[in-house]
Amino acid sequence: MKLNINFPALDRLISQMGAPLSKWRTQKVKLSEREILRQELEAGKEVSIDQIHSFGGLLEHEGEQILIYIKATGKDKDTLLHDTKNCPKFHFAECATIRGKRKENRLQRYHATIRMDGKFECTWTNYETREEGEIEAELIVCKNCLKEIAWKGYGTSDQEDSNDTIAQDFEIADFLRTYEPLFHTKPSKTSSTPTTAIYPKKWAQTSLTYRSSRQWKCEECGVNLSKKEHRRLLHTHHITGDLSDSSHLNLKALCILCHAGQPNHGHMKVSLSEQREIEALRHA
């Protein structure tokens, strides 16, 4: 489809200024493979359980952190809208539930997503009229996933009320942004590489705990990244390069710029906006 694009208001301003008209034309911009994948995940991508891998205890697909859920819930519309406690939960970690599915060799189809608004495209079924349709439902997080990474201390206390509050207050956007640095620094983003051999189990929580213990400050340049919107810019670096050694003597909290400057870290890419953000914070 051809689009006719014009900007009459801009043309009038150019004419009033007496400036010469410049020739320009629109061009097709090809999306990268990662941009295409992220678009698919934002819309919801159907995947099988063997396409879902564990990275630092979290779920990933083709190198991207994901949430997974069952789209064909078998529930009616009213249940999906008003009674999600009785609907399938969504997952973000290699929890006891997911491990059980793998052990049973249940080749169940999931949908992977990175959508942050808490809504999931689900299929509803009316067994009386035999009708089906799609609806956006606000599914509930799997408590086994929360326990797997001890999200905000979930499962570390015997107080049920405390755990219930953590589960009820769970925000997808907060969670995905918290662990974004873990995936940003992943050495290899291929679906065929077994990622469990790269970082130890529960590395995501280990990294989060370590950065927090350093007050979210870079241990090399000293930049303060303690505000929630800046924490994604702080990584946890293995000093010796031995990813199996997560003792504090082998860890160092580094901002993206300092981390990218470490030996053998040429794979790390720092965007111009991230670079400017850190430089501004260094001089704040």
Side-chain angles (χ1 to χ4, degrees), residues 74-94:
K75 303 295 182 179
D76 59 52
K77 189 185 298 186
D78 189 62
T79 300
L80 283 167
L81 286 176
H82 307 295
D83 190 20
T84 48
K85 287 183 179 180
N86 291 313
C87 296
K89 310 301 186 288
F90 70 86
H91 303 267
F92 61 74
E94 185 77 6

Side-chain angles (χ1 to χ4, degrees), residues 205-251:
Q205 183 60 37
T206 300
S207 171
L208 183 65
T209 301
Y210 183 80
R211 286 177 286 149
S212 177
S213 73
R214 295 302 180 265
Q215 289 77 50
W216 299 93
K217 294 180 181 179
C218 177
E219 293 185 81
E220 192 152 309
C221 72
V223 64
N224 189 332
L225 301 170
S226 58
K227 288 187 177 180
K228 184 178 290 187
E229 63 267 27
H230 297 147
R231 291 179 180 181
R232 60 186 170 80
L233 300 173
L234 190 69
H235 298 170
T236 305
H237 169 62
H238 285 84
I239 298 171
T240 65
D242 181 1
L243 303 182
S244 66
D245 180 7
S246 293
S247 63
H248 279 204
L249 291 175
N250 191 39
L251 300 181

Side-chain angles (χ1 to χ4, degrees), residues 16-54:
Q16 291 171 7
M17 294 168 60
L21 294 175
S22 60
K23 294 182 180 180
W24 64 276
R25 60 189 178 88
T26 58
Q27 299 183 40
K28 293 181 179 178
V29 178
K30 187 177 180 181
L31 296 177
S32 67
E33 291 184 5
R34 182 168 185 258
E35 288 172 327
I36 293 173
L37 173 60
R38 289 188 66 83
Q39 283 189 353
E40 292 174 343
L41 291 173
E42 286 174 1
K45 180 182 179 183
E46 187 177 24
V47 294
S48 61
I49 200 166
D50 61 335
Q51 294 175 299
I52 303 166
H53 305 280
S54 174

Side-chain angles (χ1 to χ4, degrees), residues 60-75:
E60 64 102 16
H61 171 66
E62 296 186 16
E64 294 293 334
Q65 182 183 11
I66 57 171
L67 311 172
I68 63 171
Y69 69 103
I70 298 172
K71 184 174 183 179
T73 61
K75 303 295 182 179

Side-chain angles (χ1 to χ4, degrees), residues 92-247:
F92 61 74
E94 185 77 6
C95 68
T97 303
I98 298 301
R99 288 195 294 271
K101 298 293 184 184
R102 294 190 192 278
K103 189 174 181 179
E104 295 167 7
N105 200 25
R106 296 274 300 276
L107 299 179
Q108 195 164 14
R109 303 296 293 185
Y110 288 89
H111 270 70
T113 182
I114 54 174
R115 186 169 169 175
M116 290 191 178
D117 62 4
K119 298 183 184 296
F120 298 83
E121 287 281 350
C122 295
T123 303
W124 57 265
T125 304
N126 187 319
Y127 292 99
E128 293 182 1
T129 63
R130 296 187 177 182
E131 291 180 297
E132 283 190 340
E134 290 189 359
I135 196 170
E136 290 186 345
E138 296 182 2
L139 300 181
I140 295 173
V141 65
C142 166
K143 291 184 177 180
N144 282 337
C145 286
L146 295 174
K147 185 177 181 180
E148 186 69 23
I149 67 166
W151 172 255
K152 295 190 175 180
Y154 186 94
T156 60
S157 170
D158 293 332
Q159 297 182 11
E160 187 175 343
D161 291 345
S162 176
N163 288 330
D164 287 342
T165 300
I166 294 171
Q168 291 168 8
D169 292 344
F170 181 83
E171 293 183 4
I172 291 173
D174 182 26
F175 167 76
L176 291 178
R177 289 178 182 132
T178 296
Y179 289 109
E180 182 182 6
L182 175 67
F183 287 80
H184 185 94
T185 59
K186 184 178 177 184
S188 176
K189 291 195 173 185
T190 63
S191 58
S192 59
T193 303
T195 57
T196 49
I198 298 177
Y199 281 98
K201 185 177 176 62
K202 296 188 178 180
W203 164 247
Q205 183 60 37
T206 300
S207 171
L208 183 65
T209 301
Y210 183 80
R211 286 177 286 149
S212 177
S213 73
R214 295 302 180 265
Q215 289 77 50
W216 299 93
K217 294 180 181 179
C218 177
E219 293 185 81
E220 192 152 309
C221 72
V223 64
N224 189 332
L225 301 170
S226 58
K227 288 187 177 180
K228 184 178 290 187
E229 63 267 27
H230 297 147
R231 291 179 180 181
R232 60 186 170 80
L233 300 173
L234 190 69
H235 298 170
T236 305
H237 169 62
H238 285 84
I239 298 171
T240 65
D242 181 1
L243 303 182
S244 66
D245 180 7
S246 293
S247 63

